[in-house]
């Protein structure tokens, strides 16, 4: 048996990891041969690995460490709550102060018509909950045939059976005969990849029309809801054209269909507003949240429930036979509450909107001048660059994903976490990143693009 209290070097840690740890979204055989990166500590916007290398985390973990690493306040709150009430459930007519306080705070910071929250442990669980709530709502309205949920191709809504089905990623659907019945997918608003010769505005209207076409094809009496991220995150930071969301809102209102705005990534300041729904003026009926809710310090999620849905579930619903052991976990709730306090007291969201996001986007868009980059886009604290074989024609590389993987690996070797989605490179840094750190991020990104360009030219 290995004593983990003794210092282990990288090779020893990798050997133990290879022997026992099954990684998510990984080729575990290949990873075992290569050896996992072992992250040992973090502070601010920086990670440190087991070899002592300092790495700028351009992805805030998995889109989640909004207030940065090393905030002792969150550890202190967790410690105090663990001593007072480390756990109790919210089943059986029971509650506790942290869940009550967090629910009240979430109603304060979310759009005004969202006055109830159902707690979960993650974004995937939140989207499972959404599916159950939507169908229960229409049952109680006397319309049990309204079950189908429309989503988008290349969307990401989690990796549980329901979450992966709601998402539109074919590699995920290929594992486990997904999607489950009652979920269909339409065109995504991805102008760079699918817009052809249309202007972004024309394409945005076309992508919105795909929603109406699907509603008419299925029948309004069969369609329960439309689920979408305000900005598609894991799909490649796909920022919809300006015409898209206004048209979608009008279509949903015309056909009496619920809007689910998946805010797991966009929520808690990522766009420069508290929520992406505020950035696009969406007014969703249901709003899944997670990630930035606790800045990733502890697992917690939820679904903000609009008055339209909540009123029906509360007045007509009786038992809602759904929930999780850790719904509203007291320690996670206490940490999330402290995280929101920090976001408010330090004016982090306001600083993102007024200062750091405009600077990041200005610097990020400079990358469009690189010979390898076909487009640089972003909103707030998210950004994407498209790696292309031909800039003018927006032509992709034949072996999709190879160039992106090459660039991602150069990034990590040069002290930067930048994620590859195919040949799209994306960032989502902690909201607390400052101007000097943004300059460092851009400098490292340029270096890695140069290295990738040289490698591609050499073949």
């Amino acid at each position: 048996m290995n004593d983990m209290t003794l210092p282990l070097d990288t090779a020893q840690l990798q050997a133990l990891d290879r022997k026992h740890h099954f990684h998510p979204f990984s080729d575990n055989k290949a990873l075992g041969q290569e050896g996992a990166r072992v992250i040992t500590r973090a502070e601010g916007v920086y990670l440190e690995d087991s070899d002592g290398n300092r790495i700028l985390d351009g992805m805030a973990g998995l889109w989640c460490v909004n207030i940065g690493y090393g905030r002792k306040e969150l550890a202190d709150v967790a410690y105090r709550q663990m001593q007072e009430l480390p756990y109790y459930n919210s089943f059986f007519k029971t509650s506790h102060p942290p869940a009550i306080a967090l629910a009240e705070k979430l109603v304060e910071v979310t759009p005004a018509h969202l006055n109830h929250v159902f707690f979960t442990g993650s974004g995937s669980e939140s989207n499972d909950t959404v599916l159950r709530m939507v169908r229960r709502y229409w049952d109680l309205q006397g319309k049990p045939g309204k079950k189908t949920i429309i989503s988008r191709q290349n969307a990401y809504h989690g990796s549980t059976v329901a979450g992966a089905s709601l998402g539109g990623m074919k590699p995920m659907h290929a594992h486990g005969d997904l999607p489950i019945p009652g979920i269909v997918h339409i065109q995504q608003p991805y102008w760079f990849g699918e817009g052809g010769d249309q202007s972004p505005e024309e394409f945005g209207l076309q992508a919105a029309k795909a929603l109406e076409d699907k509603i008419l094809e299925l029948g309004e009496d069969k369609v329960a809801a439309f689920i979408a991220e305000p900005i598609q995150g894991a799909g490649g930071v796909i920022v919809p054209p300006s015409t898209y969301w206004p048209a979608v809102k009008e279509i949903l209102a015309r056909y009496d269909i619920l809007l689910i705005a998946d805010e797991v990534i966009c929520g808690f300041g990522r766009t420069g507003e508290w929520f992406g729904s505020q950035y696009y003026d969406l007014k969703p009926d249901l709003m899944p949240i997670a990630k930035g809710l606790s800045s990733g310090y502890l697992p917690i999620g939820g679904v903000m429930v609009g008055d339209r849905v909540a009123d029906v579930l509360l007045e007509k619903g009786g038992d809602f036979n759904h929930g999780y052991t850790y719904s509203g976990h007291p320690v996670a709730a206490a940490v999330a509450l402290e995280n929101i306090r920090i976001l408010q007291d330090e004016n982090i969201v306001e600083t993102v909107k007024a200062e750091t996001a405009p600077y990041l986007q200005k610097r990020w868009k400079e990358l469009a001048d690189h010979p390898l980059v076909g487009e640089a886009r972003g909103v707030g604290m998210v950004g994407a660059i498209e790696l292309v074989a031909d800039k003018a024609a927006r032509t992709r590389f034949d072996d999709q994903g190879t160039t992106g993987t090459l660039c991602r690996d150069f990034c990590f070797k040069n002290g930067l976490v930048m994620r590859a989605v195919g040949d799209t490179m994306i960032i989502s840094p902690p909201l607390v990143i400052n101007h000097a750190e943004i300059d460092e991020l851009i400098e490292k990104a340029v270096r890695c693009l140069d290295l990738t360009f040289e490698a591609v030219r050499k073949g």
Side-chain angles (χ1 to χ4, degrees):
M1 179 180 289
N2 290 282
D3 183 355
M4 294 298 289
T5 63
L6 298 175
L8 301 176
D9 64 22
T10 298
Q12 291 171 312
L13 290 165
Q14 288 175 329
L16 286 171
D17 187 80
R18 180 184 306 116
K19 187 175 181 180
H20 301 297
H21 188 184
F22 214 111
H23 289 252
F25 285 93
S26 299
D27 179 337
N28 279 270
K29 181 179 179 181
L31 179 61
Q33 293 168 348
E34 181 181 350
R37 296 184 292 261
V38 181
I39 304 300
T40 55
R41 67 180 306 275
E43 186 74 23
V45 302
Y46 294 98
L47 308 168
E48 187 176 306
D49 69 14
S50 52
D51 292 322
N53 296 308
R54 192 171 187 243
I55 306 151
L56 197 163
D57 184 7
M59 283 304 302
L62 272 177
W63 318 84
C64 56
V65 188
N66 287 10
I67 65 169
Y69 297 96
R71 294 300 300 245
K72 186 173 181 293
E73 303 98 311
L74 299 191
D76 290 342
V77 162
Y79 176 67
R80 290 196 299 270
Q81 185 59 49
M82 282 188 176
Q83 289 183 308
E84 186 171 322
L85 178 68
Y87 170 75
Y88 201 69
N89 67 78
S90 54
F91 291 31
F92 315 126
K93 301 181 180 180
T94 303
S95 194
H96 48 70
I100 294 167
L102 179 59
E104 181 186 34
K105 178 59 70 172
L106 284 169
V107 167
E108 176 193 320
V109 300
T110 56
H113 68 292
L114 301 170
N115 288 298
H116 293 82
V117 59
F118 186 100
F119 287 117
T120 71
S122 68
S124 292
E125 288 183 6
S126 296
N127 282 316
D128 275 38
T129 300
V130 156
L131 185 144
R132 299 287 307 280
M133 278 191 172
V134 164
R135 291 182 172 173
R136 181 63 176 151
Y137 169 81
W138 287 115
D139 283 348
L140 293 169
Q141 292 288 73
K143 298 180 179 181
K146 280 177 85 76
K147 291 198 186 303
T148 300
I149 299 177
I150 300 174
S151 182
R152 301 188 295 203
Q153 296 158 4
N154 196 38
Y156 185 83
H157 298 296
S159 62
T160 55
V161 169
S165 295
L166 289 168
M169 294 188 167
K170 290 181 179 178
M172 295 180 71
H173 290 173
H175 293 183
D177 299 321
L178 302 179
I180 58 176
I183 298 170
V184 298
H185 299 84
I186 60 170
Q187 181 178 32
Q188 60 183 331
Y190 184 17
W191 174 79
F192 184 87
E194 300 175 9
D197 294 330
Q198 293 176 292
S199 70
E201 293 74 21
E202 291 170 333
F203 179 71
L205 292 174
Q206 175 190 303
K209 187 176 182 297
L211 172 61
E212 183 169 32
D213 290 345
K214 183 59 70 173
I215 293 167
L216 294 174
E217 174 193 329
L218 297 169
E220 178 188 348
D221 60 329
K222 299 291 193 294
V223 180
F226 175 57
I227 185 171
E229 304 155 87
I231 296 167
Q232 283 168 251
V237 182
I238 295 167
V239 180
S242 61
T243 52
Y244 178 76
W245 275 117
V248 166
K249 288 195 302 178
E250 191 276 328
I251 291 165
L252 295 175
R254 189 187 319 153
Y255 294 104
D256 190 25
I257 290 165
L258 299 176
L259 171 60
I260 306 159
D262 184 340
E263 294 268 11
V264 170
I265 284 174
C266 290
F268 300 96
R270 182 62 51 191
T271 64
E273 301 288 348
W274 272 87
F275 295 92
S277 293
Q278 292 159 323
Y279 185 85
Y280 288 110
D281 189 29
L282 298 185
K283 296 182 176 60
D285 296 292
L286 295 159
M287 197 172 84
I289 54 174
K291 294 190 184 292
L293 172 55
S294 70
S295 284
Y297 278 61
L298 279 178
I300 186 170
V303 178
M304 300 303 302
V305 185
D307 293 339
R308 173 187 179 185
V309 174
D311 289 348
V312 170
L313 295 180
L314 290 169
E315 293 301 320
K316 300 180 182 179
D319 286 354
F320 182 49
N321 296 315
H322 175 76
Y324 306 100
T325 300
Y326 301 122
S327 289
H329 189 288
V331 182
V335 167
L337 192 62
E338 178 68 5
N339 175 67
I340 295 173
R341 183 198 66 76
I342 290 171
L343 286 169
Q344 289 182 314
D345 289 359
E346 298 183 9
N347 296 314
I348 290 172
V349 180
E350 293 79 5
T351 300
V352 167
K353 181 177 182 177
E355 298 178 26
T356 49
Y359 186 70
L360 173 66
Q361 294 302 327
K362 173 180 172 292
R363 296 298 324 272
W364 187 252
K365 287 178 173 59
E366 293 170 10
L367 299 178
D369 295 332
H370 194 278
L372 194 59
V373 175
E375 182 184 56
R377 60 178 179 269
V379 167
M381 282 290 165
V382 290
I385 49 176
E386 300 280 1
L387 307 186
V388 293
D390 186 317
K391 286 171 70 80
R394 306 206 309 264
T395 304
R396 304 283 195 175
F397 291 97
D398 291 334
D399 49 346
Q400 262 287 301
T402 300
T403 305
T405 300
L406 187 66
C407 185
R408 180 201 65 192
D409 291 347
F410 277 128
C411 285
F412 210 87
K413 290 173 185 174
N414 286 275
L416 174 65
V417 175
M418 185 160 65
R419 184 172 172 180
V421 177
D423 286 335
T424 305
M425 306 304 298
I426 61 177
I427 60 160
S428 174
L431 304 188
V432 295
I433 193 169
N434 62 35
H435 285 216
E437 292 160 346
I438 290 169
D439 289 339
E440 180 186 345
L441 188 157
I442 298 299
E443 178 187 332
K444 289 182 173 179
V446 169
R447 171 166 173 73
C448 295
L449 286 169
D450 288 344
L451 291 168
T452 305
F453 186 58
E454 290 172 18
V456 168
R457 283 197 305 176
K458 290 177 181 176

